[in-house]
Amino acid sequence: MSFKIDPKKPFGEEVRRVGLELIDDTITILRDQPAGSHEAVHDARKRFKRLRALYRLIRRATPDFSRDENARFRDIARSLAFARDATALVETAEYLEAFALSETQAQALRSITAMLRERRDYALEHEAGLDEAIAAAIAGCEEGRKALKDLSLPDELKDAVRLLRTSWAKQRKSALKALADCREQADVEHFHELRKAGQAYWMHLGLMRRLWPSAMRAKRADTKRLVDILGHEHDLSILTAIADREPERFGNGERLALLLDAIIARQQALRAEGLELADEVFSESARTESRIIGQLWRRAAK
């Protein structure tokens, strides 16, 4: 599977090819489950993110299709989420252990990680309806495949350039707004929006990597680092929410306090690091970078 668009080929044909490859690959993974059902779900959900990023890139030309299909694959991903989310909580707790500020805090974090492992194992063992959810996901993918095969997109060079420039500018404006909101309010949701903007940008850079491979590789590396930093920040927010919702799982008040202290300290560091890197990743204006993308596409297509 090749998650990149060839500018020398008709634009609509390339979008359909990339999307169909993603959907077909996802169906195969969910059906065959070579590494087990839960790993198949994890791999499928990663492909759903790429597919949704592809559809966001063409949203201006196909607003109804992009809206409906984005919602379709978002809902399919959510239907498969629970067991993976339980596993992600364990990974977050393990990550946090490395940043304990004292031995007392380290012991508390280790005991919380052990509790979350038990919670995950129970979820994996008793999860009801996973096979049915996977079967429904496959059916949803097949419906999405039909919709994509029927999609019509402009193939003329000038139309493709106009679409890419518009989509790129919109994405950049969203990222810059999220970055400004993070600086002004430092709210969980604003950092989540900045992370989503970074993910979309990283995936769009991948789609466009044929335009200027070395530059795109460097920009993707910085953006991936940003997404990883903000991913850890977001995971810690989810862990906080679970602790607020299910405090009885986390033992006595002292252990819960030690957990929250560790989360706050690490989140502050991640946010500072993420904002500094985001300034570099999103340094160009929407107008400048969208114009560059249009020029690169036009040159590569010729």
Side-chain angles (χ1 to χ4, degrees):
M1 186 183 67
S2 176
F3 188 68
K4 55 187 174 183
I5 295 175
D6 188 345
K8 291 185 172 60
K9 296 180 180 178
F11 181 75
E13 179 182 303
E14 280 293 277
V15 168
R16 285 189 295 274
R17 178 190 60 78
V18 171
L20 290 172
E21 285 181 1
L22 281 167
I23 294 173
D24 289 345
D25 197 38
T26 302
I27 291 173
T28 299
I29 288 170
L30 289 174
R31 279 181 175 160
D32 296 348
Q33 301 176 14
S37 59
H38 292 287
E39 191 62 29
V41 165
H42 182 47
D43 290 342
R45 292 180 72 201
K46 288 191 291 186
R47 283 159 177 77
F48 292 147
K49 289 180 181 179
R50 291 189 172 194
L51 187 62
R52 294 178 65 198
L54 175 67
Y55 290 163
R56 281 194 291 271
L57 189 67
I58 61 172
R59 181 165 46 194
R60 183 64 179 267
T62 60
D64 293 340
F65 171 87
S66 296
R67 181 192 63 244
D68 294 345
E69 293 307 301
N70 211 301
R72 182 200 302 277
F73 288 103
R74 178 201 63 208
D75 292 344
I76 293 173
R78 286 177 178 173
S79 74
L80 300 171
F82 179 73
R84 176 57 202 165
D85 290 347
T87 300
L89 280 176
V90 175
E91 295 169 353
T92 301
E94 292 171 342
Y95 164 81
L96 193 58
E97 285 182 30
F99 300 95
L101 301 175
S102 67
E103 180 55 33
T104 301
Q105 191 176 70
Q107 290 177 356
L109 294 176
R110 285 194 291 270
S111 65
I112 288 170
T113 300
M115 177 276 294
L116 290 172
R117 286 196 188 100
E118 293 177 2
R119 179 180 181 273
R120 174 204 60 194
D121 294 344
Y122 182 87
L124 295 179
E125 184 178 351
H126 295 88
E127 185 176 27
L130 180 58
D131 290 342
E132 290 83 357
I134 289 176
I138 292 172
C141 287
E142 290 172 340
E143 288 299 315
R145 191 182 196 284
K146 293 176 185 176
L148 179 56
K149 284 192 71 175
D150 294 337
L151 177 66
S152 177
L153 281 167
D155 285 327
E156 291 292 331
L157 176 58
K158 62 181 179 61
D159 294 328
V161 168
R162 185 182 302 113
L163 175 58
L164 288 173
R165 286 190 58 172
T166 302
S167 299
W168 214 269
K170 182 177 177 62
Q171 187 274 339
R172 177 51 53 93
K173 288 176 182 176
S174 296
L176 292 174
K177 183 182 184 304
L179 180 55
D181 288 341
C182 288
R183 292 200 176 279
E184 291 175 6
Q185 301 180 44
D187 184 81
V188 168
E189 288 304 315
H190 292 136
F191 275 94
H192 184 42
E193 289 300 315
L194 183 60
R195 172 176 172 257
K196 289 195 295 184
Q199 285 180 321
Y201 186 49
W202 178 73
M203 292 176 191
H204 288 166
L205 288 169
L207 282 168
M208 298 292 115
R209 76 187 95 168
R210 286 181 182 270
L211 302 187
W212 191 354
S214 60
M216 295 299 182
R217 189 181 305 116
K219 291 179 76 67
R220 288 192 85 216
D222 286 343
T223 308
K224 183 62 167 65
R225 189 156 59 93
L226 173 64
V227 170
D228 288 344
I229 290 168
L230 296 178
H232 286 308
E233 192 279 337
H234 179 64
D235 291 342
L236 290 172
S237 295
I238 294 175
L239 182 55
T240 301
I242 294 293
D244 288 342
R245 191 166 66 243
E246 306 174 19
E248 68 282 356
R249 288 184 178 273
F250 292 82
N252 57 41
E254 181 182 1
R255 190 163 74 175
L256 184 56
L258 288 167
L259 169 66
L260 295 178
D261 285 346
I263 289 175
I264 290 170
R266 190 64 200 140
Q267 273 193 315
Q268 289 176 339
L270 288 168
R271 288 180 176 186
E273 186 180 2
L275 289 176
E276 182 178 356
L277 182 54
D279 281 335
E280 298 178 17
V281 169
F282 300 119
S283 58
E284 284 86 9
S285 69
R287 181 179 181 182
T288 297
E289 183 148 320
S290 63
R291 187 173 65 246
I292 291 171
I293 289 297
Q295 291 171 345
L296 289 173
W297 183 274
R298 191 182 299 278
R299 186 180 68 180
K302 292 180 178 179

